[in-house]
Amino acid sequence: MHGNISGLRPAQLKALGNLYRRRIEPGRVGSPELARNLAELSHDVRREVGVLIDRRGRVISVSVADAKGTEFPDLRMGENRLSGFHLLHTHPRGGALSKGDLSTLFLRRLDAVSAVEVRNEGQPGLVHTAHLTPPGTVGEEEDWRILPPVPSFQIDEFDLGAQVSALEEEIARAARTRVAKKDHERAILVQIDQGEFDAEERLDELAELARTAGAEVVHKELVYRRNLKPGTLVGAGKLEELTSRAYHLDADLLIFGQELGAAQAREIEAATGLKIIDRTQLILDIFALHAQGVESRLQVELAQLRYMKPRLLGAGAQLSRIGGGGGSAGGGAIGTRGPGETKLELDRRRINDRLSFLEKQLEGVSQRREERRKSRERNDVPVVSIVGYTNAGKSTLLNAFTHAAEEPRRVLAENKLFATLRPTSRQGYVEGVGPVVLTDTVGFIRDLPKDLTRAFRATLEEIGDADVLLHVVDAASPGADTRLDAVNRILEELGFRDMPTVVALNKADAADPDTLAREVERTGGIPVSALKNIGLSDLKEALADAIGQVQRAELAQREEARERVAQYR
């Protein structure tokens, strides 16, 4: 017995308990006798009374509450089945099914929901019933079908069992068709706008991240909220709306542009029944998907374990959902790539041991990289680090500079975010300078997850060993200025903001002329097209000037040092 039963008399409590003994014919909404019992009790206690009935006709739960307050078993429904229960409850003040009744029907995937009107003296009136409709049904109500009300003595005439069987068969048929047609997870994206000027741009970037991870974006939602809800960020009403949209768009994944806490993710998942991913986990997943070398894999695993550790400890039953498996492009469902199920289910001690092991392994890799850097320094070859926002065209520019059209010198260049994670160095030639080493680095992104920044810090710090930075900006994409500023903020956090820098405004052939002119004036950048080899000579001249200034400054410092030594002697 559940709900607010305080203040009820012993006789009333006994009458409620007797409802557990009631049985109805399987496959029926209820019986006239049960409807009469519920109406009398509801009139007596002056509250809504409801019973949850399974498909065998047994009452398994009695609640003194409305539909939303009814106690439901903690069972996970199958993707192609309904819950196996239907709710029969009373409306003491009469009236048809409420919005709360229909929301409960949909969110709980009930077989049906019925409301018995209570008339004067506790007599049962009309019975209102609704059941779900298959995904894609077009009608007055997309999520459910409301049947014409019937008198309580006709409550057992509707064949609910046949309706449920037909509905589940239709859902299963649609699911089989879906599996045959799609090889990507279908995702709904949610970006919360708290008044930021670039909220729409952030939503578009989230869509590009989802596409890179292998998801098919079926809907994008920009939700304006000045103040976030503590538990669900967007509120229960918006979650119901998103759940309904996911039902009809056949989506199984909900991706938030904001980072979610462990409790928030669990609460949203419980409310929607969908898999929940936040932006940080999505970026970690993309890094895991694209990690190729030993070092990259170690760094990604380190970042994922740091992110997942507080979300796994004490998660209990939620662990059963986590694990590598089929689905999505690239192998494994989104959010499950990388360490895999066995590592994600480690206890606190084993997770800490694994973190320590990974950190030691990365220290060894960093020492070997340091030796390679010293070797380059002994050769006195200028180093240019190519930095920029992810997918700005850094790898394409490196290939164009070094004339690396084919393997093995060619660097992977794809129209995806974070296509390359491992820093790659190639030797090129700059007129007036001679041989130079060009290093392609990990792409940046605004609000780069802290776990990734920590894990890739050794890789990012290699930027500081360069003589000159070549900052590549995608001039053809909206918000080029905000992306440039985002990269500069990260460089400032790493302590490299004051290094000599040349700005390359890439994809100039596809950029708006007025926008390109403003960026040239604002940044002093060189318009280029790495893909079509446009403007590369001007860019090399700018690099030669920057490298020359650095070399002259270093020469002046050495001369000054020699003079001081001579004076001391």
Side-chain angles (χ1 to χ4, degrees), residues 17-178:
N18 288 336
L19 291 175
Y20 282 103
R21 301 190 180 96
R22 302 296 183 204
R23 298 208 45 168
I24 65 172
E25 183 182 350
R28 304 296 166 180
V29 171
S31 65
E33 181 185 6
L34 180 58
R36 185 176 64 255
N37 292 152
L38 287 174
E40 291 172 352
L41 270 173
S42 182
H43 177 72
D44 190 22
V45 302
R46 300 183 183 279
R47 300 175 197 171
E48 290 189 25
V49 177
V51 291
L52 197 64
I53 304 170
D54 66 13
R55 292 182 183 176
R56 297 172 63 181
R58 301 175 303 178
V59 174
I60 64 169
S61 173
V62 177
S63 298
V64 183
D66 58 11
K68 287 192 172 183
T70 300
E71 184 75 13
F72 294 94
D74 187 17
L75 298 175
R76 184 178 294 274
M77 289 78 73
E79 183 180 357
N80 304 329
R81 296 187 67 252
L82 302 179
S83 67
F85 308 107
H86 67 273
L87 175 64
L88 178 63
H89 70 300
T90 61
H91 280 182
R93 297 181 182 179
L97 293 167
S98 66
K99 182 179 178 181
D101 296 337
L102 297 171
S103 295
T104 302
L105 166 70
F106 175 73
L107 294 175
R108 296 288 182 174
R109 293 176 68 90
L110 297 176
D111 292 355
V113 63
S114 299
V116 180
E117 293 189 49
V118 180
R119 294 178 176 173
N120 295 334
E121 305 303 325
Q123 295 300 312
L126 294 176
V127 180
H128 304 265
T129 300
H131 60 78
L132 293 177
T133 55
T137 300
V138 178
E140 185 177 349
E141 295 288 355
E142 290 187 344
D143 297 332
W144 46 73
R145 181 178 294 117
I146 300 177
L147 304 177
V150 298
S152 60
F153 61 82
Q154 295 179 354
I155 190 174
D156 54 355
E157 294 184 4
F158 176 63
D159 193 347
L160 178 62
Q163 174 61 45
V164 168
S165 297
L167 178 58
E168 290 192 334
E169 184 178 343
E170 188 68 28
I171 294 174
R173 185 182 300 114
R176 288 193 296 269
T177 304
R178 178 179 73 242

Side-chain angles (χ1 to χ4, degrees), residues 231-469:
T232 61
L233 298 185
V234 295
K238 176 57 69 174
L239 285 184
E240 287 186 16
E241 180 184 326
L242 291 170
T243 306
S244 174
R245 194 174 294 275
Y247 180 72
H248 291 285
L249 293 176
D250 193 23
D252 41 25
L253 180 62
L254 194 59
I255 303 177
F256 278 80
Q258 280 70 21
E259 183 168 336
L260 301 174
Q264 289 174 326
R266 286 195 293 269
E267 187 168 342
I268 296 172
E269 181 180 352
T272 62
L274 301 170
K275 184 167 74 172
I276 308 300
I277 299 289
D278 63 13
R279 180 177 180 271
T280 298
Q281 193 170 357
L282 186 62
I283 293 175
L284 288 170
D285 191 80
I286 294 171
F287 269 60
L289 180 64
H290 292 165
Q292 298 295 329
V294 174
E295 182 181 10
S296 296
R297 291 194 181 98
L298 290 174
Q299 289 168 323
V300 169
E301 183 176 347
L302 182 63
Q304 284 191 313
L305 284 175
R306 283 174 174 163
Y307 174 81
M308 295 301 295
K309 177 182 171 182
R311 289 162 172 79
L312 289 180
L313 297 177
Q318 279 74 17
L319 290 176
S320 61
R321 186 179 60 82
I322 300 172
S328 193
I334 296 174
T336 64
R337 302 182 187 113
E341 183 176 12
T342 56
K343 293 189 181 68
L344 292 180
E345 291 185 356
L346 294 170
D347 58 18
R348 182 187 295 272
R349 180 182 58 80
R350 294 183 64 195
I351 287 179
N352 290 335
D353 291 344
R354 183 65 180 171
L355 288 173
S356 300
F357 172 77
L358 292 173
E359 288 168 351
K360 290 179 181 177
Q361 291 280 40
L362 284 173
E363 285 178 8
V365 174
S366 299
Q367 289 174 0
R368 290 192 292 273
R369 190 196 295 115
E370 181 68 24
E371 293 172 359
R372 291 197 298 270
R373 289 203 297 263
K374 289 179 180 178
S375 176
R376 287 202 299 264
E377 290 175 1
R378 286 194 295 270
N379 295 331
D380 201 24
V381 177
V383 177
V384 177
S385 279
I386 305 176
V387 300
Y389 211 82
T390 179
N391 205 29
K394 300 185 299 299
S395 300
T396 305
L397 185 60
L398 176 61
N399 288 331
F401 260 27
T402 57
H403 305 290
E406 298 179 357
E407 296 288 355
R409 287 178 52 81
R410 183 177 179 274
V411 177
L412 176 66
E414 292 183 318
N415 185 25
K416 288 185 177 181
L417 305 185
F418 305 112
T420 53
L421 299 181
R422 183 175 57 184
T424 306
S425 296
R426 293 287 186 270
Q427 184 166 306
Y429 185 86
V430 175
E431 190 71 32
V433 176
V436 297
V437 173
L438 296 151
T439 302
D440 182 18
T441 60
V442 178
F444 294 167
I445 194 169
R446 77 188 83 197
D447 303 326
L448 188 68
K450 294 180 180 179
D451 293 316
L452 269 180
T453 305
R454 290 171 60 194
F456 278 77
R457 190 165 189 86
T459 300
L460 297 173
E461 285 177 348
E462 188 169 336
I463 298 171
D465 296 322
D467 298 289
V468 173
L469 298 184

